[in-house]
Amino acid sequence: MSIVKEIQESLAVLSIPEKAEFFPRFFKTGKGEYGEGDLFLGVTVPDQRSVAKEYYSKISLKDLSILLSSKYHEHRLTALFMLISKFEKQKIKR
């Protein structure tokens, strides 16, 4: 199984149906609104940070680009958290 699929499955397991229903209203995803068309799994930010912490050192930038182009908000945000972690670790090594 690819690392991208592992991350997507990890996020799917953490999905909360009530949140998935609420987030589109909160993030204004209706026609003409700023988040128009965005899709949600219903994963909280702390859970997304936990997944990012677990996988950031294992994933390549190429695979991160796949998550960044996902139709799901949580995939993209988790990918951004992983990019931040990769950057911060590189700063320390210099």
Side-chain angles (χ1 to χ4, degrees):
M1 179 187 310
S2 76
I3 187 95
V4 172
K5 292 289 182 207
E6 280 185 51
I7 293 166
Q8 289 171 335
E9 286 185 14
S10 293
L11 290 169
V13 167
L14 297 168
S15 175
I16 302 168
E18 295 82 17
K19 296 277 187 192
E21 189 177 315
F22 170 73
F23 286 161
R25 290 189 307 273
F26 182 81
F27 286 101
K28 310 279 188 233
T29 61
K31 186 160 178 62
E33 296 179 316
Y34 74 88
E36 182 177 351
D38 215 0
L39 299 176
F40 294 86
L41 296 170
V43 182
T44 63
V45 170
D47 286 342
Q48 290 176 68
R49 288 183 186 277
S50 295
V51 171
K53 186 176 180 180
E54 180 180 346
Y55 288 100
Y56 84 91
S57 63
K58 303 172 190 173
I59 192 167
S60 69
L61 292 178
K62 182 179 178 183
D63 286 335
L64 271 174
S65 70
I66 295 168
L67 287 173
L68 285 170
S69 62
S70 173
K71 60 185 179 179
Y72 288 100
H73 176 89
E74 289 89 344
H75 293 170
R76 297 189 311 267
L77 184 58
T78 302
L80 290 173
F81 289 146
M82 288 188 274
L83 280 172
I84 290 167
S85 294
K86 283 181 171 293
F87 173 77
E88 288 174 341
K89 296 300 177 190
Q90 287 301 313
K91 272 184 16 182
I92 293 170
K93 290 180 182 178
R94 291 182 185 172

